[in-house]
Amino acid sequence: MKATQTIEEIQNFEGKYPKQLWYLFFSEMWERFCFYGMRGMLTFFMVHQLFMKEDVANLQYGATQAFVYAFTFVGGLFADKILGYRKSLFWGGIMMIVGSAILAIDPKQFFFLGIAFTVIGTGFFKPNISTMVGTLYKGNDSRRDAGFSLFYSGINIGALLGGYACIYIGKNYSWNLAFGLAGIVMTISLITFLFTQKSLATIGLSPLLHLKDSKRKLYEYATYIGTLVAIPLIMTMVSNPEYTDYFMYTIGPVTLLYLGYEMRNFTLQENKKLIAAMVFIVFSILFWAFFEQSGGSLSLFAANNLDNDFLGVNLDPNGVNNAANSLFVIIFAPLLGLVWVWLNSRKAEPNTVVKFGLGFLFLALAFYTFYFTRFFANIDGMTSIEIFTLAYFIITFGELCLSPIGLSIMTKLSPLKLQGVMMGMWFLASAYGQYVAGILGAGMSSANENATKAEKLIAYTDGYQQLAIYALVAGAVLITISPIVRKLMQEVK
């Protein structure tokens, strides 16, 4: 009896999902508990514990999240060239655990040091586990989108649990405990991966196995040491949004130049697919700039303007803001994935470009709903948590039309030797989205510092109305150009 399967045997699985997907599902679930638990605390913690002004906290949130996602490109690059996906994932997990432990000791004094470890750790972990999911499928396997949708529900189970639990524990018990909990569940994630990685055949192993052990280990140790040496630099850059500006102005053009350099090694047909991938990446920047108000302006909106009575049940408004979207994704991601499979079997599934366009239309409707919360407010500026939650219900379908499909399309359109880099670029687009989200959120709150709750309600909802209009225009443009992008994609659907 064979101890492990080959890659070909894994890809020839029967049924809707390969068993290895479930193993990666659980590792990602616990890592996302850690990530979203900390993400959900950032803006509130900075305003109420570090006493930053709301506009400064929004900019700081955008800067921190931008670095988190920007470093996924670095993590993908080192995975492709030196470490392989598995060691990159493990090293990233260790860094995240250390970052959580530092914050658990003293989150006020060591805030930016702990965040610096988390930034680099997420950069090594996040893109590489997603890439491994893609390698479970053959290039033309129509079940891939359904697999990524299921994987995406795992992300959101972690986000649901961490997003509500960490902010609740921090606000009501101890911030030290809240940050420590994130590190505990990250440890669970790594243990899960260690005990299940043997089922992955050769997926994710180092690309340098052809070298002598001594030379390969030299490259690996240099990567680890370089990561640690970079911590003070990352800490300085994350703590100063001005440095973030310089970084974001630089990393994008440099990344595009690197991609252009790599494209010399591929055929015209492969390069057309890479151009199509870049279209998705550019539009995803816009999507995340709007969507990621959830961690910034919507976090402050929830704290300032939401009542806590949800259909007669007392709920923490910030917990709802952090967890509602994830709950809806958990419920509807597997169902929507199966809908895509069902439509595909009847040759009626919309192509990926149209799915992206639909994502923006749902996003527009959701932000119009956030805007309409102003019409349910009392004289003190406190408004309905139910209408706020309805907006998150709508936004979920926009996310499901774009994010899990985006992960899937990056693996479909990328040549095998460039998949880690392209997955990193996908998350780098998220970095730019986060960066712009912080700027947009700061613009909504800049005049709000000494305002009443009613005045804050008007300022934020005016901003959400503008975002709804921009999302509507972007969706219409994307659907209009879909035939052109489809030609670039060739046989990829």
Side-chain angles (χ1 to χ4, degrees), residues 47-116:
V47 170
H48 294 276
Q49 297 297 313
L50 302 183
F51 306 110
M52 294 183 185
K53 293 182 178 180
E54 290 189 5
D55 58 335
V56 174
N58 266 293
L59 288 173
Q60 189 63 67
Y61 169 80
T64 301
Q65 294 298 102
F67 275 112
V68 166
Y69 283 94
F71 269 83
T72 59
F73 175 78
V74 177
L77 179 62
F78 277 101
D80 275 344
K81 304 300 182 182
I82 298 176
L83 297 180
Y85 305 135
R86 296 193 199 183
K87 288 183 178 179
S88 292
L89 184 154
F90 187 77
W91 179 241
I94 293 294
M95 297 287 283
M96 292 178 73
I97 292 169
V98 172
S100 297
I102 290 171
L103 289 167
I105 293 170
D106 191 336
K108 292 183 180 179
Q109 182 176 351
F110 300 132
F111 182 75
F112 288 109
L113 177 61
I115 292 299

Side-chain angles (χ1 to χ4, degrees), residues 432-443:
Y432 275 92
Q434 302 277 357
Y435 174 67
V436 176
I439 295 173
L440 293 172

